[in-house]
């Protein structure tokens, strides 16, 4: 029995919808095939299904044979014809695992002093613990015919062992949600029928089990790597990681795992797979140094979420580090010191002790609600850029999110994120911080940040060029899906939206016109949505000078001191030669902040700040006096800022 249809699922049977489709298919006893063009696959294998590459508007046939074939076809065709199949269920694993590994940045300063990418803030000093798992090679043994059943049993046992190990990890009570998601996704692969069948067939033909597993996983991994979709390319690494685990089980070995890492070690690795890091005893790891990776790699995200200082992208020097005794790392500057001398050790120890004592003393402020002398609440919110950072912000006591930088959503992938994916992300954020607001900044690409899927012209002065709201208004095909996603997510929670790089009121009007268009479309499609408060970032001198007029048009201001300082001072924020001029305390910048705040307060709108200056204890009292009522900063600064408002507010 079979039926054909046109796939209406948004973005096709991409990761999440594919997993859900397979789970639905597995609920029926009959055999089910999915046929696209001349290719037919088993609909109960997510690997096969993803490799079939089913896109929205493809014609597909579902063929079923068995007792419940009619019900299965009915349900699966219904799934394929529903554009929203696979939406509104947040799976952190899929997001975290889709992070690209940034290119290696090897920037050597001297033999004893290296510099990499500052990926997670904080200082650490400790004994180096090298994590360089051995490569497992194919054995290429031919198994005698009468020994094949035993080899098959060995293979079956190895699959079971890996699945059991992953189940045991999932049962750990205090596993972070994001880590649980990673392990669950890997377990899904370890149970995949295509993988099991592929390896079994090779052993049945006389190949040894290790070679069969490596052969099958690398075949599937290269299929994933060949697809023109970065999300699916990342599945290749997962497939190899799972293959490795099965081979180790066949060898009767555990991986060089991090269980034995001594308390206070600095973990040194070329790279760390999601599986290894997620199950590592993170509390014992004082710092992380990797040869590969960058600020947006999953190692960086997990390190930040767990408050572990990290320097990544160190290149080949990392091999040498594992053979030395002590390593000191500065996750703020990206510096790494090999066998540091007495003076450096003393400096690091002093700074770490100060930070630890301060952190401990400040923890009483986690749930504190800071108020100004007149009783007005000062919201101390978090700046974050991904869902994986939610936990750290909540643990710090963030009163909502004052700046969600959406760039990372766009930069992580080599294609633009879909409207559904964005809706899920924004809704998850709003749910996590309810009842506090989450301020989502619309895409601020350009300047120093680029995104695949958007062609940027070569500009002599990119910081003065086509970035932020300027680019978005020229590209409604990029901007409208984001605005639609924000409207849809607002129905799920307290979302506010702000526009970056605004320099004229026309930009606000043009955005409102696009929002109205989006609302009309959503109404026509009977989609659920809600209105959000629209604010602007004040980060150009023009915005400061027209602040009184802008304040009449928007719901709030958020001062972006990072850009405001560079534009007021005409000093590139990335150019170390003019770093001295990049000073937020310069009277010109402080005057601009005061002018903005006065305009906002007089118009009766909220004025907040989300640039780095918002977390500076030396400036917070001045900002509060000016009239700012919201300060948004990195989670690590939140408790200190709350104390500061209490002491001087
Ligand atoms: C700012 O400019 O102060 C700001 C918060 O935005 P970004 O640093 O992302 O440009
Ligand atoms: Mg900015």
């Amino acid at each position: 029995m079979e039926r054909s249809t046109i796939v209406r699922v948004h973005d096709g049977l991409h990761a999440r919808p594919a997993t859900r489709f397979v789970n639905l298919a597995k609920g029926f006893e009959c055999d089910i095939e999915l046929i696209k063009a001349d290719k037919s696959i088993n609909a109960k294998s997510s690997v096969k299904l993803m490799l079939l590459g089913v896109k929205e508007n493809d014609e597909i046939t579902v063929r079923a044979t068995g007792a419940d074939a009619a019900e299965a076809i009915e349900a699966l065709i219904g799934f394929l014809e529903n554009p929203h199949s696979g939406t509104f269920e947040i799976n952190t694993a899929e997001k975290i695992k889709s992070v690209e590994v940034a290119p290696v940045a090897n920037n050597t300063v001297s033999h004893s002093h290296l510099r990499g990418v500052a990926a997670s803030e904080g200082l650490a000093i400790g004994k180096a613990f090298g994590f360089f798992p051995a490569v497992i090679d194919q054995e290429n043994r031919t198994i005698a015919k009468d020994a094949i059943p035993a080899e098959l049993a060995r293979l079956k046992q190895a699959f079971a062992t890996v699945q059991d190990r992953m189940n045991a990890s999932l049962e750990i009570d205090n596993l972070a949600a994001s880590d649980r998601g990673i392990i669950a996704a890997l377990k899904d692969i370890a149970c995949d029928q295509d993988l099991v069948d592929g390896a079994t067939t090779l052993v049945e033909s006389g190949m040894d089990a290790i070679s069969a597993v490596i052969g099958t996983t690398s075949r599937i991994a290269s299929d994933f790597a060949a697809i023109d979709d970065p999300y699916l390319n990342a599945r290749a690494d997962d497939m190899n990681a799972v293959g490795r685990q099965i081979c180790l089980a066949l060898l009767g070995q555990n991986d060089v795992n991090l269980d034995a890492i001594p308390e206070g070690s600095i973990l040194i690795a070329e790279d760390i797979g999601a599986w290894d890091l997620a199950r590592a005893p993170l509390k014992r790891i004082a710092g992380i140094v990797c040869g590969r990776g960058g600020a947006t790699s999953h190692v960086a995200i997990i390190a930040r979420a767990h408050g572990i200082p990290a320097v990544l992208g160190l290149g080949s020097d990392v091999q040498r580090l594992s053979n030395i005794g002590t390593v000191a790392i500065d996750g703020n500057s990206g510096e790494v010191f090999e066998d540091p001398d007495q003076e450096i050790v003393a400096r690091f120890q002093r700074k770490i002790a100060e930070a630890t004592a301060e952190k401990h003393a400040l923890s009483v402020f986690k749930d504190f609600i800071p108020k100004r002398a007149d009783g007005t609440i000062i919201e101390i919110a978090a700046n974050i850029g991904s869902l994986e950072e939610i936990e750290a912000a909540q643990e710090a006591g963030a009163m909502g999110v004052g700046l969600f930088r959406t760039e990372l959503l766009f930069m992580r992938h080599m294609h633009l994120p879909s409207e559904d994916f964005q809706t899920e992300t924004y809704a998850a954020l709003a749910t996590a911080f309810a009842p506090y607001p989450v301020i989502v900044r619309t895409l601020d690409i350009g300047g120093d940040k680029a995104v695949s899927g958007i062609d940027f012209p070569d500009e002599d002065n990119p910081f003065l060029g086509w970035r932020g709201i300027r680019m978005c208004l020229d590209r409604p095909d990029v901007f409208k899906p984001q605005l639609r996603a924000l409207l849809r997510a607002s129905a799920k929670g307290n979302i506010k939206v702000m526009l970056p790089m605004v320099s004229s009121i026309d930009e606000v009007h043009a955005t409102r016109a696009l929002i109205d268009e989006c609302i009309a479309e959503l109404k026509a499609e009977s989609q659920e949505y809600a209105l959000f408060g629209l604010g602007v970032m004040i980060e150009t001198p023009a915005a400061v000078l027209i602040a009184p007029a802008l304040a009449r048009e928007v719901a709030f201001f958020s001062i972006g001191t990072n850009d405001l300082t560079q534009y007021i001072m005409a000093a590139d924020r990335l150019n170390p030669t003019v770093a001295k001029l990049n000073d937020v305390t310069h009277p010109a910048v402080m005057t601009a902040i005061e002018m903005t705040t006065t305009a906002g307060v007089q118009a009766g709108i909220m004025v907040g700040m989300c640039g780095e200056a918002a977390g500076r204890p030396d400036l917070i009292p001045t900002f509060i006096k000016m009239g700012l009522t919201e300060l948004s900063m990195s989670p690590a600064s939140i408790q200190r800022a709350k104390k500061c408002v209490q002491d001087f507010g």
Side-chain angles (χ1 to χ4, degrees):
M1 174 179 300
E2 64 179 51
R3 219 166 100 193
S4 300
T5 191
I6 303 292
V7 176
R8 297 294 178 208
V9 181
H10 275 327
D11 287 351
L13 296 190
H14 201 263
R16 255 156 300 170
T19 305
R20 272 176 222 148
F21 184 88
V22 167
N23 286 340
L24 185 60
K26 281 182 178 166
F28 297 96
E29 278 177 14
C30 56
D31 291 333
I32 307 171
E33 277 173 86
L34 206 63
I35 302 149
K36 179 182 149 186
D38 53 352
K39 257 186 141 183
S40 153
I41 57 113
N42 173 0
K44 295 183 182 178
S45 161
S46 30
V47 167
K48 286 237 188 260
L49 182 56
M50 284 193 264
L51 286 173
L52 192 62
V54 178
K55 303 246 163 31
E56 190 174 353
N57 298 324
D58 277 353
E59 186 175 347
I60 284 289
T61 302
V62 181
R63 182 179 296 154
T65 3
D68 50 3
E71 292 95 318
I73 287 188
E74 187 65 30
L76 295 171
I77 291 282
F79 183 101
L80 294 172
E81 290 179 348
N82 180 355
H84 304 295
S85 291
T87 57
F88 272 110
E89 226 183 83
I90 301 302
N91 179 346
T92 319
E94 288 169 5
K95 293 180 183 69
I96 198 164
K97 277 154 44 54
S98 66
V99 174
E100 283 169 56
V101 175
V104 171
N106 182 9
N107 193 355
T108 306
V109 174
S110 74
H111 177 70
S112 59
H113 175 198
L114 309 165
R115 193 187 290 272
V117 177
S120 178
E121 67 180 39
L123 274 71
I125 185 163
K127 290 255 172 292
F129 183 92
F131 178 70
F132 294 91
V135 176
I136 302 173
D137 290 322
Q138 279 179 280
E139 294 180 350
N140 291 326
R141 279 187 298 122
T142 305
I143 305 293
K145 225 181 176 138
D146 58 348
I148 289 178
E151 192 70 355
L152 281 171
R154 219 162 73 83
L155 178 69
K156 198 169 168 200
Q157 182 55 47
F159 270 104
T161 304
V162 170
Q163 289 159 10
D164 288 350
R165 282 181 191 164
M166 290 181 174
N167 278 333
S169 298
L170 287 170
E171 272 158 27
I172 298 170
D173 281 346
N174 55 1
L175 202 62
S178 51
D179 302 347
R180 186 179 300 283
I182 293 169
I183 297 173
L186 291 173
K187 197 196 124 193
D188 197 37
I189 291 177
C191 298
D192 190 83
Q193 209 51 48
D194 187 32
L195 172 57
V196 177
D197 290 349
T200 305
T201 310
L202 288 176
V203 174
E204 280 167 351
S205 72
M207 189 184 278
D208 70 274
I210 290 191
S211 306
V213 169
I214 296 177
T216 310
T217 49
S218 40
R219 170 184 55 80
I220 302 174
S222 59
D223 286 348
F224 275 124
I227 298 174
D228 183 22
D229 179 327
Y231 180 90
L232 293 177
N233 298 160
R235 306 284 74 72
D237 292 342
D238 299 343
M239 186 53 74
N240 287 325
V242 168
R244 178 180 175 80
Q245 294 304 317
I246 299 165
C247 289
L248 286 164
L250 279 165
L251 292 167
Q253 293 173 11
N254 252 321
D255 209 349
V256 190
N257 69 39
L258 295 166
D259 290 348
I261 191 167
E263 182 83 35
S265 302
I266 306 290
L267 172 61
I268 313 286
E270 182 57 43
D271 194 10
I272 310 173
W275 159 246
D276 296 307
L277 196 57
R279 67 194 175 125
L282 293 169
K283 290 219 172 344
R284 276 192 253 143
I285 300 175
I288 300 174
V289 180
C290 286
R292 289 170 58 84
T296 62
S297 66
H298 65 238
V299 176
I301 290 168
I302 295 176
R304 282 201 295 271
H306 292 271
I308 302 173
V311 175
L312 306 183
L314 211 67
S316 53
D317 287 318
V318 82
Q319 301 277 349
R320 194 173 72 231
L321 285 178
S322 66
N323 297 323
I324 62 163
T326 303
V327 180
I329 71 166
D330 184 338
N332 308 321
S333 65
E335 286 168 299
V336 175
F337 298 87
E338 311 169 50
D339 278 330
D341 61 24
Q342 270 310 311
E343 195 196 318
I344 295 170
V345 171
R347 174 156 61 85
F348 266 67
Q349 283 174 340
R350 194 183 64 247
K351 285 194 173 172
I352 293 166
E354 281 167 14
T356 310
E358 192 197 18
K359 198 171 161 198
H360 184 71
L362 288 173
S363 60
V364 296
F365 287 92
K366 178 183 168 190
D367 297 318
F368 181 72
I369 308 278
K371 293 191 181 127
R372 211 162 63 178
D374 67 356
T376 305
I377 291 177
I378 304 296
E379 278 183 45
I380 306 294
N383 287 355
I384 60 176
S386 67
L387 294 186
E388 292 82 17
E389 293 166 69
I390 289 176
E391 260 173 55
Q394 286 174 328
E395 268 173 31
M399 299 160 74
V401 172
L403 168 61
F404 181 68
R405 290 182 163 102
T406 54
E407 294 76 63
L408 202 57
L409 288 186
F410 287 71
M411 290 162 91
R412 275 179 172 195
H413 306 275
M414 276 145 68
H415 59 93
L416 299 172
S418 69
E419 179 186 319
D420 286 345
F421 176 77
Q422 292 189 64
T423 309
E424 288 180 16
T425 306
Y426 307 144
L429 264 179
T431 310
F433 288 95
Y436 287 116
V438 166
I439 302 182
V440 179
R441 175 175 76 185
T442 58
L443 189 57
D444 185 14
I445 294 294
D448 60 326
K449 311 165 202 148
V451 155
S452 308
I454 303 176
D455 281 337
F456 280 87
D458 276 341
E459 296 180 306
D460 286 340
N461 296 297
F463 270 125
L464 302 180
W466 198 55
R467 67 172 286 201
I469 190 65
R470 304 167 182 187
M471 185 281 289
C472 282
L473 287 172
D474 287 346
R475 288 289 304 263
D477 58 315
V478 176
F479 199 19
K480 275 181 69 181
Q482 184 169 45
L483 293 172
R484 282 172 54 103
L486 288 163
L487 287 161
R488 288 170 59 195
S490 295
K492 309 272 170 204
N494 189 355
I495 286 183
K496 298 187 196 180
V497 176
M498 68 182 172
L499 310 176
M501 283 298 292
V502 166
S503 52
S504 94
I505 289 175
D506 288 348
E507 289 159 341
V508 177
H509 290 163
T511 303
R512 282 209 193 281
L514 282 180
I515 294 173
D516 288 344
E517 269 179 38
C518 294
I519 291 173
E521 288 168 12
L522 292 171
K523 267 191 193 149
E525 294 161 21
S526 305
Q527 295 244 40
E528 200 187 10
Y529 74 92
L531 300 180
F532 47 69
L534 181 68
V536 286
M537 288 193 72
I538 302 289
E539 49 186 353
T540 65
V544 174
L545 295 172
I546 60 167
L550 267 176
R552 289 193 289 275
E553 300 284 334
V554 296
F556 65 93
F557 284 163
S558 184
I559 304 174
T561 49
N562 308 339
D563 276 316
L564 185 60
T565 308
Q566 82 162 339
Y567 293 129
I568 296 267
M569 299 302 296
D572 184 340
R573 64 193 262 190
L574 301 179
N575 182 347
T577 324
V578 291
K580 246 174 52 198
L581 281 172
N582 231 296
D583 175 13
V584 71
T585 66
H586 189 286
V589 185
M590 292 305 272
T591 304
I593 295 171
E594 187 162 28
M595 284 168 67
T596 304
T597 312
T598 305
V601 170
Q602 278 177 358
I605 63 168
M606 183 198 90
V607 183
M609 178 183 284
C610 60
E612 288 303 305
R616 278 182 56 169
D618 56 330
L619 299 179
I620 288 175
T622 309
F623 294 150
I624 304 288
K625 269 192 215 105
M626 285 179 182
L628 285 143
T629 54
E630 185 244 24
L631 298 167
S632 191
M633 58 201 68
S634 110
S637 306
I638 286 178
Q639 290 168 4
R640 196 183 307 119
K642 286 187 173 184
K643 176 177 188 302
C644 190
V645 178
Q646 141 101 342
D647 291 348
F648 305 105

